[in-house]
Amino acid sequence: NEEQMPVQIHAFDSGKDSLQTRKLFNDPAFNAMDMIIGPLYQSSVAAVSNYSIQQQKIMVNPISSNRSLTLGN
């Protein structure tokens, strides 16, 4: 039994600065996302993790081995 679901992917540049990452939280396009993959830079992971928990969004960070940052997402 196959199910098909359309998927749209959007890329956002959070940079290496957590301040730049926090600016994304005010972007309506970013707020419309159902799932967040990343961020790439460790300096932004905690901020995105907290945001995803507060906004009830799924966060996946495939390049981090620290599972505690995505726990509860």
Side-chain angles (χ1 to χ4, degrees):
N1 185 9
E2 282 188 35
E3 291 185 38
Q4 296 183 3
M5 180 183 302
V7 175
Q8 292 183 356
I9 298 175
H10 300 267
F12 296 89
D13 184 3
S14 62
K16 293 182 181 180
D17 182 0
S18 62
L19 180 61
Q20 178 66 25
T21 302
R22 292 178 198 280
K23 288 180 183 179
L24 286 174
F25 302 159
N26 295 318
D27 183 332
F30 187 80
N31 287 318
M33 299 298 108
D34 296 316
M35 175 186 279
I36 301 168
I37 301 174
L40 294 178
Y41 298 105
Q42 188 64 33
S43 59
S44 300
V45 172
V48 175
S49 178
N50 290 335
Y51 168 84
S52 66
I53 291 169
Q54 292 172 354
Q55 300 299 315
Q56 299 181 342
K57 298 190 183 286
I58 299 167
M59 177 184 167
V60 177
N61 195 323
I63 62 171
S64 176
S65 61
N66 188 347
R67 297 185 78 188
S68 68
L69 291 171
T70 56
L71 190 65
N73 290 325

